[in-house]
Amino acid sequence: MATGAHRRYAEIMHDVEELINDHIEQQTRGTQGRSKLKYLVPSVGDFFTPLLLEEAFNFQDERRKISSRRFVPPSFNDIRLTLNSAQLMSLTRSGSIDLVTFDGDVTLYDDGESMTEDNPVIPKILKLLGQGTHIGIVTAAGYKVAAKYYERLHGLLDAVANAMTDKEVEDPKVIIVGGESNYLFEFDFHAESFLKHVPRETWMLDEMRTWEDEDIRLLLDVAEGALRECISNMQLSAEILRKERSVGIVPVTGPGKQKFNREQLEETVLVTQQILELSNPAKRIPFCAFNGGNDVFVDIGDKSWGVSSCQRYLGGIQSSKTLHVGDQFLSAGANDYKARLVCTTAWIANPAETVALLDELHFHNERRYKD
C-alpha cells in the first residue's frame, strides 16, 4: 500500500514540477501569461528558481512517512515542508546562497520574546556567515535607535562579535531592517550595541525616494481612523500606538490586559486594509496591514521593499540568490507574504522549524559538495 501511495504522490509532484518548469520557460520569453500553470492558477506569480518537487517529496516522505499513513492524507504541513525542501534543493544546487533574511517574532524567537544567547538558531546563522552568506533580519519592529534592536537580538549580536574575536568569521554582513522597510542598521564590531544606524538616503530604493512625507502622514491618518472604527465596532480593550512610519492597536496596559482573539485581529486587518486601498494616499504610498499576534499594525512599505533594500545595500544580490524565512505567508494579515515578490521563500511555523530548516539547508549544501 505504501509503495503504491508513494508512487502516486511522487507522480503528482512530478507533474506540478513540470508545470512550474513550463511557467519559468514562458517567463524567460516574457509570455508567462500563456503558461499552463497561469491558466490553472491565475494568481500565480513569477518563480526565481525551479522547484525540485518530486525529489523534495521523496526527502520528506522518508522523514514524515506520508505514504505510510492509511487514514490521514497529505496535509497542509506536509505540502508546506515539501515546498521548503524543494526550494532549498534548488538554491543549493545552483550555487551559493548570497543572502538569507529572517522575520523576527515566531521565526527566530517566540512571539514577544528576544533572541537570547542560548537560542539554538544562533550556531546555524554563524555557520552561514562563516560560509560567506550575508544575513538580514527584516522585522516589523520599528525602532529608530540601535539599543532597542540590541535588546531583542543581543544573543545573536554578541555571538557574532565573539566569533569575530575568535576569528571564526571575518567581516560578517548582518543587516537589520526595521518597520518592514523604514530603518536600516548594520552590524559594527566597534559600535555601541554592535549596530550602526545607516541613514535612509544611503540605502533607499529609487522608488522610495518618491514617497512624500505629507502622503505618508495622510495614509497613517486614514489608517488610524480605520483602527479607531474597529475598536469602537468590536468594543476592543485597545489603544492606538502611533509612530513615525506606522500606526497600530495594542491591548490596553495594566491589570487584566486583554488577549485579542484571532477573529478580531483578522477583522481589524481586513477592514483597515480595505479602507486604505480605497484612499487617495494609498495610490502613492505602499503599505502593509498585518496581524502581529496580539496587535494590528499598518506600516509604510512592506517586506518586499525591506528585502529589496537589503539586496541593494549589499551590492545588488539577485532574487535567485536570496532566501527569506518567515512564519506569515497567509494572504490575510501576513507580512512575510510580500517577500515572495522579490526572492525565494521558506514558510516555517515556529523557531524550532527555523532551526530544522537551516540544518536541512546545511545538509543539502554539504551533499552538493560531496557529489
Side-chain angles (χ1 to χ4, degrees):
M1 179 183 285
T3 302
H6 176 89
R7 185 182 67 253
R8 291 193 297 274
Y9 294 156
E11 287 172 353
I12 292 169
M13 289 296 177
H14 174 80
D15 290 344
V16 177
E17 185 176 330
E18 288 301 306
L19 285 171
I20 293 171
N21 289 339
D22 170 70
H23 187 80
I24 292 173
E25 186 177 338
Q26 297 286 355
Q27 276 179 207
T28 61
R29 299 174 185 168
T31 58
Q32 58 265 47
R34 302 178 190 171
S35 78
K36 298 173 187 175
L37 186 60
K38 190 72 173 178
Y39 284 124
L40 293 169
V41 188
S43 62
V44 71
D46 290 343
F47 289 83
F48 300 108
T49 69
L51 291 177
L52 307 179
L53 289 172
E54 183 177 6
E55 187 174 348
F57 172 74
N58 293 335
F59 180 84
Q60 286 293 339
D61 195 29
E62 184 178 335
R63 285 153 180 77
R64 297 174 66 82
K65 306 303 179 188
I66 302 167
S67 301
S68 299
R69 301 197 300 247
R70 296 179 58 195
F71 298 107
V72 179
S75 68
F76 175 85
N77 285 327
D78 292 328
I79 302 302
R80 177 175 59 83
L81 294 173
T82 298
L83 286 166
N84 286 351
S85 293
Q87 187 63 81
L88 296 183
M89 289 176 176
S90 182
L91 284 168
T92 54
R93 292 185 193 179
S94 63
S96 62
I97 302 177
D98 294 339
L99 172 64
V100 180
T101 62
F102 298 91
D103 176 40
D105 289 68
V106 187
T107 299
L108 292 175
Y109 42 83
D110 290 331
D111 191 27
E113 301 298 323
S114 61
M115 203 169 183
T116 54
E117 63 276 0
D118 58 349
N119 189 311
V121 81
I122 292 174
K124 320 299 179 184
I125 292 177
L126 291 178
K127 188 172 183 178
L128 286 172
L129 289 170
Q131 294 169 345
T133 300
H134 305 322
I135 298 297
I137 298 174
V138 183
T139 173
Y143 307 129
K144 298 171 68 174
V145 294
K148 284 286 192 179
Y149 289 108
Y150 180 78
E151 287 179 17
R152 301 297 300 273
L153 303 168
H154 60 88
L156 174 63
L157 297 171
D158 289 345
V160 174
N162 291 335
M164 287 189 67
T165 301
D166 297 338
K167 301 190 183 305
E168 295 173 3
V169 296
E170 296 182 10
D171 192 28
K173 296 295 184 184
V174 179
I175 303 295
I176 298 171
V177 177
E180 312 285 358
S181 57
N182 289 297
Y183 310 100
L184 192 146
F185 294 81
E186 182 176 13
F187 178 85
D188 185 340
F189 183 81
H190 302 288
E192 186 178 358
S193 302
F194 297 125
L195 290 171
K196 69 175 181 181
H197 176 255
V198 182
R200 191 173 288 142
E201 59 271 13
T202 305
W203 55 267
M204 276 198 308
L205 303 172
D206 292 341
E207 299 93 326
M208 297 168 79
R209 299 180 189 279
T210 66
W211 301 354
E212 298 289 343
D213 289 343
E214 178 63 11
D215 285 333
I216 291 173
R217 184 188 67 79
L218 289 172
L219 186 139
L220 293 178
D221 285 347
V222 174
E224 182 174 338
L227 292 169
R228 291 188 183 280
E229 180 180 318
C230 290
I231 291 174
S232 175
N233 290 344
M234 291 187 282
Q235 299 182 355
L236 301 176
S237 180
E239 57 190 4
I240 297 288
L241 180 59
R242 177 91 175 235
K243 299 182 180 181
E244 179 192 32
R245 291 208 162 196
S246 66
V247 61
I249 62 168
V250 297
V252 173
T253 56
K257 181 178 177 181
Q258 179 182 357
K259 173 74 175 174
F260 300 133
N261 63 52
R262 180 176 62 85
E263 291 78 10
Q264 290 172 327
L265 293 167
E266 291 185 359
E267 174 72 7
T268 302
V269 168
L270 294 172
V271 167
T272 303
Q273 184 169 295
Q274 183 182 56
I275 290 173
L276 282 170
E277 286 173 348
L278 296 173
S279 71
N280 285 325
K283 298 174 183 176
R284 300 179 292 275
I285 304 293
F287 68 91
C288 175
F290 66 94
N291 170 1
N294 199 33
D295 56 43
V296 171
F297 267 86
V298 174
D299 283 335
I300 299 302
D302 57 50
K303 287 196 178 177
S304 68
W305 298 94
V307 174
S308 293
S309 297
C310 285
Q311 291 169 327
R312 176 175 176 174
Y313 185 74
L314 293 168
I317 295 174
Q318 296 177 0
S319 297
S320 59
K321 297 287 187 179
T322 305
L323 174 69
H324 178 72
V325 182
D327 68 291
Q328 292 204 17
F329 283 99
L330 290 173
S331 57
N335 63 348
D336 290 305
Y337 184 77
K338 289 290 185 72
R340 302 188 313 165
L341 298 173
V342 296
C343 68
T344 69
T345 57
W347 185 351
I348 56 83
N350 52 59
E353 280 198 6
T354 301
V355 174
L357 181 90
L358 295 185
D359 280 337
E360 185 182 339
L361 174 59
H362 293 309
F363 170 81
H364 293 310
N365 244 332
E366 290 165 4
R367 194 167 77 169
R368 174 171 65 95
Y369 287 120
K370 288 178 183 177
D371 294 344

